[in-house]
Amino acid sequence: MSYKTCSCTYLWRIERSPPSYIFGTIHVSQEHVWPYISKEIRQAFISSTHVYAEADLINMNYWDDFLRCIANRTPRVERSTDYSTQGALLDMYLIMEARRSNKTTGGLETPEYLCEHKGMLANLKTWMLIVDKIKNRMKTGTFENETLNNFEMNETETLRKMYVCNEFDDEYIDNLENSTKVFHDIEQRDENISRRMHSLLKKSKKNRYFFAVGAGHLFGTRKNLIARLTTYGHKLTRLCTYQNLILKKFGCKKKKMMGGCIKPKVVLKRKKNSFITFK
């Protein structure tokens, strides 16, 4: 079988024993992309013992600390974290499912970072209303996308197709960086996140980490997250997958193997509707 239809995933394996992984996400509704995620990514997630996203936005304590940062007076309180995954952003969905599987979860960026970079979007009273709405939706199981509209990327069919077809690359991210303000502090964030990952990886060699971060952190000709982890001494390998069903459904372009990906020795045909689903 030709490798021309074997494309790179947004999954990098951190070469250690046992291995850990970095998965490039997109900040859109999980139901629009997760059903089409490759089996390699799913297997890496399932095998993990620790799952970390950019921010632990489904943690009540995170929002308490965020408000405390803005008002410098809101105390941390313990809350329930039993809620529905319907409508959640992909990053949050992964954290929710990790918790349901009794995995250790956490965030790579602090509430103080969100406070510093997003706090100016609204005054304290407005933020308190927003956070209260988020908490209520967590408790009632209706935590949906509109509660975080200010923080997510513009969700379009084109964007989703590009992501599912594995079409994000250095050139695409470079163009985004030059055309939008979303990436104005990405280099500092890359450094902060890579330092946090390195610290966690050094902390324990037994943990199987699954780091879920925006795909924009993994591409671009700047010193991106992958490059920074390499400077810390970590060896990373980008994995490959064969997704004939996805190619047909979304009309993805068949591409030759991209540099740095592992070619599978044997490619098995997948049965129709064989995607793993979480309940």
Side-chain angles (χ1 to χ4, degrees), residues 9 24 76 85 116 140 146 151 163 171 187 215 246 273:
T9 63
R76 171 180 282 192
T85 62
E116 179 181 350
T140 59
E146 64 259 26
F151 312 131
Y163 181 79
E171 182 180 0
E187 290 192 47
I246 303 304
N273 299 325

mmCIF file of all heavy atoms in Angstrom, residues 9 24 76 85 116 140 146 151 163 171 187 215 246 273:
data_model
loop_
_atom_site.group_PDB
_atom_site.id
_atom_site.type_symbol
_atom_site.label_atom_id
_atom_site.label_comp_id
_atom_site.label_asym_id
_atom_site.label_seq_id
_atom_site.Cartn_x
_atom_site.Cartn_y
_atom_site.Cartn_z
ATOM 1 N N THR A 9 -0.062 12.854 12.028
ATOM 2 C CA THR A 9 -1.076 13.283 12.982
ATOM 3 C C THR A 9 -0.558 14.509 13.736
ATOM 4 O O THR A 9 0.587 14.915 13.569
ATOM 5 C CB THR A 9 -1.365 12.172 14.011
ATOM 6 O OG1 THR A 9 -0.164 11.939 14.760
ATOM 7 C CG2 THR A 9 -1.791 10.890 13.327
ATOM 8 N N GLY A 24 -1.761 18.100 19.495
ATOM 9 C CA GLY A 24 -2.159 19.442 19.078
ATOM 10 C C GLY A 24 -3.665 19.519 18.892
ATOM 11 O O GLY A 24 -4.238 18.828 18.042
ATOM 12 N N ARG A 76 -10.518 30.640 47.581
ATOM 13 C CA ARG A 76 -10.699 29.375 46.887
ATOM 14 C C ARG A 76 -11.682 28.514 47.668
ATOM 15 O O ARG A 76 -11.630 28.446 48.882
ATOM 16 C CB ARG A 76 -9.362 28.636 46.766
ATOM 17 C CG ARG A 76 -9.506 27.211 46.247
ATOM 18 C CD ARG A 76 -8.170 26.529 46.134
ATOM 19 N NE ARG A 76 -7.471 26.970 44.941
ATOM 20 C CZ ARG A 76 -6.383 26.372 44.474
ATOM 21 N NH1 ARG A 76 -5.874 25.349 45.104
ATOM 22 N NH2 ARG A 76 -5.787 26.831 43.392
ATOM 23 N N THR A 85 -20.309 16.379 29.124
ATOM 24 C CA THR A 85 -19.307 16.770 28.134
ATOM 25 C C THR A 85 -19.948 17.339 26.880
ATOM 26 O O THR A 85 -19.255 17.754 25.970
ATOM 27 C CB THR A 85 -18.454 15.552 27.733
ATOM 28 O OG1 THR A 85 -19.303 14.562 27.131
ATOM 29 C CG2 THR A 85 -17.755 14.955 28.930
ATOM 30 N N GLU A 116 -4.035 37.981 33.696
ATOM 31 C CA GLU A 116 -3.183 39.033 33.149
ATOM 32 C C GLU A 116 -3.497 39.350 31.701
ATOM 33 O O GLU A 116 -3.471 40.509 31.279
ATOM 34 C CB GLU A 116 -1.719 38.608 33.264
ATOM 35 C CG GLU A 116 -0.736 39.631 32.700
ATOM 36 C CD GLU A 116 0.702 39.164 32.805
ATOM 37 O OE1 GLU A 116 0.946 38.139 33.488
ATOM 38 O OE2 GLU A 116 1.566 39.821 32.211
ATOM 39 N N THR A 140 -24.912 21.998 36.427
ATOM 40 C CA THR A 140 -26.146 21.503 35.815
ATOM 41 C C THR A 140 -25.894 20.627 34.606
ATOM 42 O O THR A 140 -26.827 20.100 34.009
ATOM 43 C CB THR A 140 -27.055 22.684 35.402
ATOM 44 O OG1 THR A 140 -26.350 23.517 34.472
ATOM 45 C CG2 THR A 140 -27.464 23.502 36.618
ATOM 46 N N GLU A 146 -20.647 28.723 24.345
ATOM 47 C CA GLU A 146 -20.836 30.165 24.384
ATOM 48 C C GLU A 146 -20.323 30.809 25.661
ATOM 49 O O GLU A 146 -20.118 32.017 25.711
ATOM 50 C CB GLU A 146 -22.318 30.523 24.198
ATOM 51 C CG GLU A 146 -23.237 30.028 25.316
ATOM 52 C CD GLU A 146 -23.979 28.794 24.906
ATOM 53 O OE1 GLU A 146 -23.480 28.064 24.048
ATOM 54 O OE2 GLU A 146 -25.084 28.573 25.422
ATOM 55 N N PHE A 151 -12.570 33.320 24.307
ATOM 56 C CA PHE A 151 -11.280 32.648 24.378
ATOM 57 C C PHE A 151 -11.026 31.663 23.254
ATOM 58 O O PHE A 151 -9.941 31.167 23.106
ATOM 59 C CB PHE A 151 -11.161 31.890 25.705
ATOM 60 C CG PHE A 151 -11.549 32.733 26.885
ATOM 61 C CD1 PHE A 151 -12.425 32.251 27.830
ATOM 62 C CD2 PHE A 151 -11.048 34.012 27.026
ATOM 63 C CE1 PHE A 151 -12.788 33.033 28.919
ATOM 64 C CE2 PHE A 151 -11.404 34.791 28.114
ATOM 65 C CZ PHE A 151 -12.279 34.302 29.053
ATOM 66 N N TYR A 163 -8.111 21.040 9.944
ATOM 67 C CA TYR A 163 -7.606 20.333 11.122
ATOM 68 C C TYR A 163 -7.759 18.827 10.956
ATOM 69 O O TYR A 163 -6.808 18.070 11.157
ATOM 70 C CB TYR A 163 -8.348 20.808 12.367
ATOM 71 C CG TYR A 163 -7.882 20.140 13.642
ATOM 72 C CD1 TYR A 163 -6.713 20.543 14.274
ATOM 73 C CD2 TYR A 163 -8.614 19.101 14.211
ATOM 74 C CE1 TYR A 163 -6.272 19.931 15.439
ATOM 75 C CE2 TYR A 163 -8.185 18.474 15.371
ATOM 76 C CZ TYR A 163 -7.017 18.897 15.984
ATOM 77 O OH TYR A 163 -6.593 18.280 17.127
ATOM 78 N N GLU A 171 3.889 26.854 7.558
ATOM 79 C CA GLU A 171 3.504 27.992 6.718
ATOM 80 C C GLU A 171 2.143 28.556 7.132
ATOM 81 O O GLU A 171 1.959 29.771 7.221
ATOM 82 C CB GLU A 171 3.461 27.564 5.254
ATOM 83 C CG GLU A 171 3.107 28.698 4.299
ATOM 84 C CD GLU A 171 3.074 28.260 2.850
ATOM 85 O OE1 GLU A 171 3.326 27.059 2.577
ATOM 86 O OE2 GLU A 171 2.792 29.110 1.978
ATOM 87 N N GLU A 187 5.295 33.204 21.723
ATOM 88 C CA GLU A 187 6.643 32.745 22.053
ATOM 89 C C GLU A 187 6.843 32.638 23.562
ATOM 90 O O GLU A 187 7.458 31.686 24.047
ATOM 91 C CB GLU A 187 7.682 33.682 21.438
ATOM 92 C CG GLU A 187 7.746 33.574 19.917
ATOM 93 C CD GLU A 187 8.962 34.275 19.352
ATOM 94 O OE1 GLU A 187 10.060 34.059 19.882
ATOM 95 O OE2 GLU A 187 8.810 35.046 18.394
ATOM 96 N N ALA A 215 -2.744 23.455 18.536
ATOM 97 C CA ALA A 215 -1.814 23.062 17.474
ATOM 98 C C ALA A 215 -0.905 24.211 17.057
ATOM 99 O O ALA A 215 0.207 23.986 16.578
ATOM 100 C CB ALA A 215 -2.599 22.542 16.264
ATOM 101 N N ILE A 246 -11.558 9.092 6.484
ATOM 102 C CA ILE A 246 -11.547 10.532 6.681
ATOM 103 C C ILE A 246 -11.239 11.238 5.374
ATOM 104 O O ILE A 246 -11.841 12.258 5.037
ATOM 105 C CB ILE A 246 -10.507 10.923 7.750
ATOM 106 C CG1 ILE A 246 -10.805 10.192 9.054
ATOM 107 C CG2 ILE A 246 -10.513 12.433 7.975
ATOM 108 C CD1 ILE A 246 -12.196 10.410 9.601
ATOM 109 N N ASN A 273 -17.244 2.673 10.523
ATOM 110 C CA ASN A 273 -17.801 3.022 11.841
ATOM 111 C C ASN A 273 -17.011 2.360 12.973
ATOM 112 O O ASN A 273 -17.575 1.920 13.979
ATOM 113 C CB ASN A 273 -19.264 2.628 11.962
ATOM 114 C CG ASN A 273 -20.148 3.346 10.941
ATOM 115 O OD1 ASN A 273 -19.873 4.511 10.613
ATOM 116 N ND2 ASN A 273 -21.175 2.681 10.462
#
